[in-house]
Amino acid sequence: MAMALAATTLFRCGGYPSFKPNVPAGTNKRPPTKAAGAAVTCNGVLGDYRRTPPAREEEGHRGREEEWRSYLAPERLEVLSEIEPWVEEHVLPLLKPVEASWQPSELLPDPAALGSDGFHAACLELRERAAGVPDELLVCLVANMVTEEALPTYPSGLNRFEVVRDATGADDTAWARWIRGWSAEENRHGDVLNRYMHLSGRFDMREVERTVQRLIRDGMTVHAPASPFHGFVYVAFKERATAIAHGNTARLVGARGAGDAALARICGTVAADEKRHEAAYTRIMGKLFEADPDAAVRAMAYMMRRRIDMPTAFINDGCHSSGHLYARFIAIAIAEKAGTYTLSDYRCILEHLMRQWRVGELMAGLSSDGRRAQDYLGALPHKIKRMEEKAHDRAVKAKKKPTLIPINWIFDWPISVVVS
């Protein structure tokens, strides 16, 4: 998923064309800093959310705390220690040796390998290809890249899980070696996307870099932060979602889309990593379903009731309030329109994981709470499907006109979206 900060020095060669957001044919004007009639300006806030009454909210919070904290009982956590030899045999092999791993320098022009003239020519070609990528995809690419660059947040999250954490930073347990190896592989994702964006000339990199800094500063919320049962449900879901987002981007910018072969290769390579990581976390959670099906199905239902939000949920471009940018524009409007990650993808991930973990087939070992959790999960895909259909019907009936939203990552060029 999704990743570490890297100080990357790129050569600046003269004579590059300026490829910023797509400008309509026949105009030579710089994109406006504000869109005429835009509903959102810098520092603007859209939406008015109703809150649960404070007393009821506090009562519900206490109940949720008690529920997930029950998973920290020694007898429940013992299973994590018992399956460590299995992790050594079935999970660690999914990591690739460093010598067999791809590196960002292999996917982008390398001045040391190409020489000055060759590097200059390769960068010109990269920029020409990047000029054809639609602005909506550029915004989604920033969201994906920022998610990857916020890597420091993710291993620190895994290190809050009881039993499986890397307590010293150099533990020799299978769990600790997995966390470090996974983080090392993820580290390359933000690096390669960041370097592509620098070379392409399509992005206001200072604004993008500020967004990265804000996301790492602001952190992320994961429900049940110390419970491995809940945490591995989240990470398995997130890794599959990230693989889908990168894979869809690769398809949309590839030969049959925008025609940017370099970006398609980068996104496809990152997606392949994410699929291996997804396989690892899916296997771990599958083992927990075998060892303690009641705890596992209840943990999954707990997480799904609270919705699996991507780390990008707190993304903050400095113009829109934190949370609004992702929830109102990127997730609902822009990514859905561009086709990089949709509500349908969310449902399909849930259905996939339920099949992998055979949630509908669980029989023995379930408590009454476990059976209720199983029933809830069984009905959830249909509920999400109905939400998709109702949202589509509302959009058709409303016949809302698109709103122009200026995005500072692409020099305040306005993106046309239908805001719910």
Side-chain angles (χ1 to χ4, degrees):
M1 179 186 34
M3 293 194 203
L5 290 175
T8 305
T9 303
L10 297 172
F11 285 76
R12 184 174 181 176
C13 301
Y16 287 161
S18 176
F19 288 126
K20 293 181 178 178
N22 292 328
V23 180
T27 68
N28 294 311
K29 295 181 180 179
R30 186 187 184 281
T33 56
K34 290 185 179 181
V40 176
T41 59
C42 200
N43 299 320
V45 176
L46 275 182
D48 179 19
Y49 296 95
R50 297 180 180 179
R51 291 181 55 83
T52 304
R56 190 182 304 170
E57 188 174 273
E58 178 62 27
E59 180 182 347
H61 177 71
R62 286 197 300 269
R64 292 192 296 272
E65 282 278 316
E66 291 174 4
E67 181 179 347
W68 77 258
R69 286 192 179 279
S70 69
Y71 282 74
L72 305 185
E75 61 273 16
R76 179 149 283 164
L77 292 172
E78 186 178 356
V79 65
L80 279 304
S81 299
E82 292 175 348
I83 68 172
E84 185 179 344
W86 175 88
V87 172
E88 181 88 39
E89 183 178 356
H90 296 278
V91 176
L92 282 178
L94 289 170
L95 295 172
K96 287 189 175 182
V98 173
E99 294 72 21
S101 297
W102 63 269
Q103 298 301 332
S105 59
E106 301 168 25
L107 301 179
L108 288 165
D110 182 356
L114 296 173
S116 179
D117 291 343
F119 179 65
H120 186 193
C123 288
L124 281 173
E125 182 180 355
L126 184 146
R127 288 185 167 217
E128 289 169 2
R129 298 279 185 169
V133 178
D135 296 333
E136 290 83 1
L137 284 176
L138 297 181
V139 175
C140 295
L141 184 65
V142 173
N144 290 345
M145 173 269 205
V146 170
T147 303
E148 301 288 355
E149 287 279 45
L151 176 66
T153 303
Y154 311 137
S156 66
L158 290 176
N159 281 329
R160 284 194 293 270
F161 295 171
E162 293 291 341
V163 177
V164 306
R165 64 166 61 102
D166 182 7
T168 68
D171 285 1
D172 194 43
T173 66
W175 290 113
R177 281 182 285 132
W178 166 260
I179 291 173
R180 294 197 302 271
W182 169 76
S183 300
E185 291 193 348
E186 290 283 350
N187 180 65
R188 302 163 305 156
H189 300 170
D191 285 359
V192 70
L193 291 167
N194 196 322
R195 293 182 198 180
Y196 167 87
M197 290 166 64
H198 268 288
L199 290 174
S200 73
R202 295 293 307 276
F203 303 88
D204 186 335
M205 291 307 300
R206 189 180 187 191
E207 293 298 338
V208 172
E209 288 156 359
R210 285 172 168 171
T211 300
V212 172
Q213 185 175 351
R214 290 188 193 99
L215 186 58
I216 297 173
R217 178 200 64 189
D218 295 343
M220 59 179 286
T221 298
V222 178
H223 305 295
S227 165
F229 283 84
H230 298 75
F232 286 134
V233 169
Y234 175 83
V235 184
F237 195 106
K238 179 177 65 66
E239 292 290 77
R240 186 167 181 83
T242 309
I244 287 171
H246 286 298
N248 284 341
T249 303
R251 174 177 54 82
L252 292 165
V253 302
R256 297 183 180 181
D260 189 336
L263 181 55
R265 185 185 177 199
I266 288 169
C267 293
T269 301
V270 171
D273 270 6
E274 303 290 13
K275 288 186 72 66
R276 279 191 297 109
H277 299 161
E278 173 208 336
Y281 291 114
T282 302
R283 287 182 189 180
I284 292 170
M285 199 61 215
K287 192 67 175 178
L288 294 181
F289 265 95
E290 292 177 12
D292 193 341
D294 187 65
V297 74
R298 287 166 53 201
M300 185 178 184
Y302 180 102
M303 297 301 290
M304 297 311 304
R305 283 193 181 101
R306 284 144 191 84
R307 194 175 63 185
I308 302 290
D309 283 328
M310 293 298 100
T312 340
F314 285 171
I315 198 169
N316 181 352
D317 65 352
C319 293
H320 309 94
S321 63
S322 181
H324 279 74
L325 177 65
Y326 178 80
R328 298 302 303 278
F329 307 141
I330 296 176
I332 294 178
I334 301 175
E336 187 84 26
K337 177 182 177 182
T340 57
Y341 186 72
T342 68
L343 184 58
S344 177
D345 289 323
Y346 185 94
R347 172 176 51 82
C348 290
I349 293 170
L350 172 61
E351 291 172 334
H352 170 81
L353 293 177
M354 289 177 62
R355 288 193 299 270
Q356 291 292 305
W357 299 329
R358 299 181 178 179
V359 171
E361 301 172 25
L362 298 176
M363 297 289 289
L366 293 189
S367 64
S368 57
D369 285 340
R371 287 191 293 273
R372 282 193 290 271
Q374 183 185 40
D375 291 342
Y376 167 78
L377 291 170
L380 188 55
H382 178 70
K383 181 178 180 181
I384 296 174
K385 178 68 173 176
R386 290 292 300 134
M387 289 171 58
E388 294 175 45
E389 294 169 351
K390 288 180 179 178
H392 178 266
D393 291 344
R394 284 196 301 269
V396 171
K397 290 178 181 178
K399 296 180 180 179
K400 289 187 176 179
K401 294 182 179 179
T403 300
L404 294 177
I405 307 296
I407 305 294
N408 64 1
W409 300 329
I410 53 173
F411 306 97
D412 286 323
W413 188 255
I415 300 293
S416 175
V417 298
V418 176
V419 180
S420 60

